[in-house]
Amino acid sequence: MSAAAVVGGDPVTGTADVWLLPEHAIDAFAAECGGEGLLSEDERTRMARLLRPADRKRFLARRMLCRFALSARTGRPLGEWRFTIAPHGRPEPEPGTDGLRFSLADTRGLVVCAVTAGRACGIDVEQTSVSAESAHHISRFFASEELLELSALDPDALVARVGELWVLKEAYLKAQGTGLHRSLAGFSFAPRGPTGAGRITVRDSVRPGAWTFELFRPGPDHLVALAVEGDDRAAVRQTWLTGSGKPTDPRRGDGP
């Protein structure tokens, strides 16, 4: 798939930019962006508290990627971004950024960032290699309507659907700014039918509102869910980063 391919919606209703950074490209990408020198004092302190080198690496990748993605949307220099932390830990750009919102996620092998304007957004990414045991454990936290749907599926389809529901739920809660402080059983996603086609809809009596969702696989190993506030389906533009382009002029090309 072309990195700039639109996977849904009409560009006139707004665009959600999704940036994808493979783990093997983090070092080169972070160096081009400015590395640890671009972080605030608080960010450097938080990074230093992480014990595992892999965790520090992904932390740096997330902080570089959100700055890069916001700058690509606005033209603002990477070093000028400052962030506030919402009550449940969600980072937000400081005021005066024309309503820009962003969301970050990472898993083994991939870091992702979504950016929207004037609309809340949330993104999540997970590996597709979910075991039957893990799927069973995860599904225990789902809503009763979702458990009923899962009970009618064969084992392989059940594992795949649990993976879809997990990333959708995480993306939705990130968009709301609550993260996992809210129960996964407090809302549910409607079944998509035997072909998996059709609009993805959420049922939420506690926090009703209009949302659109995208679910896509940027490669064989990962599944990404994107939640965007509003009834109008946003156009989603995917861009792969490999650390081979200038931060102020992101390379757009085929994914790895």
Side-chain angles (χ1 to χ4, degrees), residues 3 18-30 32-33 61-62 64-70 72 78 109-113 238-256:
V18 175
W19 300 85
L20 305 104
L21 176 62
E23 191 162 2
H24 65 76
I26 288 176
D27 290 339
F29 175 76
E32 289 183 352
C33 287
R62 292 194 301 272
M64 295 295 100
L65 184 57
C66 69
R67 286 169 165 85
F68 180 92
L70 291 166
L78 291 170
L110 188 63
V111 185
V112 296
C113 179
Q238 298 178 44
T239 305
W240 285 94
L241 295 166
T242 64
S244 61
K246 297 180 180 179
T248 54
D249 184 20
R251 187 184 75 88
R252 294 182 180 269
D254 292 334

Side-chain angles (χ1 to χ4, degrees), residues 37-90:
L38 210 62
L39 301 180
S40 67
E41 183 177 351
D42 176 68
E43 288 171 322
R44 287 194 293 270
T45 300
R46 289 161 55 198
M47 181 175 167
R49 292 194 188 117
L50 299 173
L51 299 179
R52 298 175 61 244
D55 292 336
R56 293 195 296 271
K57 182 176 182 176
R58 288 183 194 166
F59 179 91
L60 180 61
R62 292 194 301 272
R63 306 317 304 161
M64 295 295 100
L65 184 57
C66 69
R67 286 169 165 85
F68 180 92
L70 291 166
S71 291
R73 188 85 176 224
T74 64
R76 186 174 178 176
L78 291 170
E80 291 187 5
W81 292 103
R82 296 294 181 269
F83 304 93
T84 58
I85 303 299
H88 293 298
R90 177 189 172 107

Side-chain angles (χ1 to χ4, degrees), residues 153-235:
L153 301 178
D154 65 53
D156 289 341
L158 184 148
V159 170
R161 183 58 175 159
V162 167
E164 291 180 350
L165 289 171
W166 178 253
V167 293
L168 285 168
K169 283 174 173 285
E170 286 245 34
Y172 179 57
L173 292 180
K174 286 182 177 183
Q176 291 190 336
T178 65
L180 293 177
H181 292 277
R182 185 182 176 192
S183 170
L184 295 175
F187 58 95
S188 64
F189 284 88
R192 301 185 67 194
T195 64
R199 181 166 178 156
I200 301 171
T201 58
V202 65
R203 299 169 291 201
D204 188 347
S205 60
V206 176
R207 298 185 65 172
W211 295 88
T212 60
F213 299 90
E214 301 291 345
L215 193 63
F216 57 93
R217 290 171 172 77
D221 300 325
H222 296 97
L223 178 65
V224 174
L226 174 69
V228 179
E229 184 181 26
D231 276 323
D232 297 327
R233 193 178 180 193

Side-chain angles (χ1 to χ4, degrees), residues 135-146:
H136 173 73
H137 174 74
I138 293 169
S139 67
R140 294 185 302 160
F141 301 99
F142 289 175
S144 58
E145 299 92 335
E146 293 164 335

